Amino acid sequence: MAGQAAATTRVPQEERSRVMRGRLLDATVELLVERGYAGTSTTLVSERAGVSRGAQLHHFPTKQDLVVAAVQHVTEARGAELRRAAQALPRGRGRTRKVLRVLGDHFTSPVFTAALELWVAARTDPQLLAEVQRLEREVGRETHRMTVELLGADESVPGVRELVQATLDLVRGLGLADTITDDRRRRTRILDQWAATLDATLTLTPERA
Amino acid sequence: MAGQAAATTRVPQEERSRVMRGRLLDATVELLVERGYAGTSTTLVSERAGVSRGAQLHHFPTKQDLVVAAVQHVTEARGAELRRAAQALPRGRGRTRKVLRVLGDHFTSPVFTAALELWVAARTDPQLLAEVQRLEREVGRETHRMTVELLGADESVPGVRELVQATLDLVRGLGLADTITDDRRRRTRILDQWAATLDATLTLTPERA
């Protein structure tokens, strides 16, 4: 009986803890987008999240812990969204164009902006850099894998791997351009043209047919 | 005689002023690269440049004046270098690949890093943003024009303008990737493949033949 009581108490505690963590991470991303890395402080985050300083320090002892976890958290959540959106796209003619537009939207979302703040801050902060490089390797590998799948690209064909990488570097460059100017129309034209070029260049696999 | 004396005095003064300005701008770019936008102060710049605070304030009253002028100055200087390097490339087979490698080097230079710091800072600073948008429009237009010329691309052919833009967004994305990891080998493979794709896609103009 005592064990059962402890178990029912523990579950809501774990749930409360999970919710609190989520609120802290969401508040951090919002602040990175609104005020940039330099303008984001742990005090502002706890205020925004409505979480006590003590509870915040328990979950994330330093600003670095908080910002890295926040970017990782939203990247994973958005990655899952991106996958669902892209998997819902119809096969066949025009698919590449739609896949690229979904990727373009992904790289111009607040998640990209928050990640950009983290990358740029990491450049001049060696401790943060090690964490961001680790995160980038994981995210980069997963995004590449998903893009190969979505495009139905056959990487055993010479040059195809590089074209998939180029596609991701292109959308990263478009994401950066979009941070200081509303670039949607230009981006759509560029991605549509790149889709036509990719379709003409990539070897078709059964999945693309 | 008095007029002549004034003229000979004025010339060295103008020259001294020009040299001092150049030292301030170079120091600003160095500090943006080493310490980022938040870590760059006007005090550090005057110390690094060996220029008195008074003289610095005379030339650039605010941090914003200084950083925008610095990025504009080095962008123009590097743009001229880029043009000379690219114009020295041989015509004919393999030229596109070489042009892209020169562009790739340009977008991974300290000038790109300094500009990146400025872009990201401008995102959350409305006054700086207006200046950076103006600068970006000028630089973007000029870089596009030069790339068209270097690739010998015929923009009257549908889709060619978008592929030139895509090329510049690609190298911007590669530049961003390079700020947190040494990306040279991957970048070279991607650019070489992009060159092959461009060569197969762009309509040849007499200049490319």
Side-chain angles (χ1 to χ4, degrees):
Chain A
M1 289 295 284
Q4 205 175 10
T8 52
T9 317
R10 200 171 63 242
V11 174
Q13 260 177 5
E14 277 172 7
E15 174 60 16
R16 273 202 305 278
S17 180
R18 204 186 56 75
V19 168
M20 197 178 279
R21 216 181 118 87
R23 285 220 309 269
L24 287 167
L25 298 178
D26 289 342
T28 305
V29 170
E30 282 176 26
L31 284 164
L32 283 173
V33 172
E34 287 170 27
R35 307 197 181 195
Y37 184 86
T40 298
S41 68
T42 53
T43 312
L44 279 173
V45 170
S46 66
E47 280 172 22
R48 170 80 57 115
V51 168
S52 74
R53 287 286 285 159
Q56 188 214 52
L57 288 169
H58 169 72
H59 285 285
F60 305 103
T62 68
K63 175 174 172 180
Q64 177 172 321
D65 296 328
L66 193 56
V67 292
V68 172
V71 170
Q72 180 149 18
H73 168 74
V74 291
T75 303
E76 281 164 8
R78 271 290 296 196
E81 269 175 47
L82 170 64
R83 177 179 293 276
R84 277 194 297 276
Q87 279 171 344
L89 293 176
R91 306 261 163 221
R93 199 176 153 73
R95 178 171 163 90
T96 303
R97 195 157 97 160
K98 288 171 194 145
V99 167
L100 293 193
R101 287 188 180 193
V102 167
L103 276 176
D105 290 344
H106 186 62
F107 278 77
T108 49
S109 71
V111 175
F112 175 81
T113 308
L116 177 63
E117 288 288 341
L118 200 58
W119 291 333
V120 170
R123 202 183 62 72
T124 50
D125 179 337
Q127 220 183 333
L128 185 58
L129 182 61
E131 281 295 288
V132 172
Q133 283 172 332
R134 178 193 57 73
L135 178 59
E136 263 313 289
R137 267 195 302 274
E138 284 173 27
V139 172
R141 210 178 289 132
E142 175 55 21
T143 310
H144 183 92
R145 214 188 56 67
M146 186 174 56
T147 306
V148 167
E149 188 190 314
L150 293 173
L151 291 173
D154 179 359
E155 291 201 310
S156 68
V157 176
V160 168
R161 181 173 172 75
E162 286 72 20
L163 286 178
V164 173
Q165 289 178 316
T167 301
L168 289 170
D169 284 295
L170 168 63
V171 288
R172 190 188 297 118
L174 290 169
L176 183 53
D178 196 70
T179 59
I180 61 164
T181 177
D182 179 6
D183 198 36
R184 177 173 291 274
R185 279 183 56 204
R186 191 186 76 97
R187 179 169 67 251
T188 304
R189 281 191 293 100
I190 291 172
L191 287 176
D192 287 356
Q193 181 55 47
W194 182 241
T197 306
L198 270 185
D199 275 336
T201 310
L202 292 181
T203 299
L204 295 181
T205 65
E207 202 167 346
R208 287 174 67 83
Chain B
M1 287 295 282
Q4 203 174 11
T8 53
T9 317
R10 200 172 63 240
V11 175
Q13 260 176 2
E14 278 172 8
E15 174 61 14
R16 273 201 306 277
S17 179
R18 203 185 56 76
V19 168
M20 196 178 280
R21 216 182 119 87
R23 285 219 310 269
L24 287 167
L25 298 177
D26 289 342
T28 305
V29 170
E30 281 175 26
L31 284 164
L32 283 172
V33 172
E34 286 170 28
R35 307 197 182 198
Y37 184 85
T40 298
S41 67
T42 52
T43 312
L44 279 174
V45 169
S46 66
E47 279 172 23
R48 170 81 57 112
V51 168
S52 74
R53 287 286 284 159
Q56 189 214 52
L57 288 169
H58 169 72
H59 285 284
F60 304 102
T62 68
K63 176 174 170 179
Q64 177 172 323
D65 296 329
L66 191 56
V67 291
V68 171
V71 171
Q72 179 149 20
H73 167 74
V74 290
T75 303
E76 282 165 7
R78 271 290 297 195
E81 270 175 46
L82 170 64
R83 178 179 293 277
R84 276 193 298 276
Q87 280 171 344
L89 294 175
R91 305 261 164 223
R93 200 176 151 72
R95 177 169 162 93
T96 302
R97 196 157 98 159
K98 288 171 193 146
V99 167
L100 293 193
R101 287 186 178 193
V102 168
L103 275 176
D105 290 344
H106 185 63
F107 277 77
T108 49
S109 71
V111 174
F112 175 81
T113 308
L116 177 64
E117 288 288 341
L118 200 57
W119 291 334
V120 171
R123 202 184 61 72
T124 51
D125 179 338
Q127 219 183 334
L128 184 58
L129 183 61
E131 281 295 289
V132 171
Q133 283 172 331
R134 178 193 58 71
L135 178 59
E136 262 313 288
R137 269 196 299 275
E138 285 173 26
V139 171
R141 211 177 290 132
E142 175 56 20
T143 310
H144 183 92
R145 216 188 55 68
M146 186 174 56
T147 306
V148 167
E149 186 190 315
L150 292 173
L151 291 172
D154 179 359
E155 291 202 309
S156 68
V157 176
V160 167
R161 180 171 173 78
E162 286 74 18
L163 284 177
V164 173
Q165 289 178 316
T167 301
L168 290 171
D169 284 295
L170 168 65
V171 289
R172 189 186 299 119
L174 290 169
L176 182 53
D178 197 71
T179 57
I180 62 163
T181 177
D182 179 6
D183 198 37
R184 176 173 292 277
R185 279 182 57 205
R186 190 185 76 96
R187 179 169 66 251
T188 303
R189 281 191 293 102
I190 291 172
L191 288 175
D192 287 356
Q193 184 55 47
W194 188 272
T197 306
L198 274 186
D199 276 336
T201 309
L202 293 181
T203 299
L204 296 180
T205 64
E207 201 166 346
R208 287 172 67 83

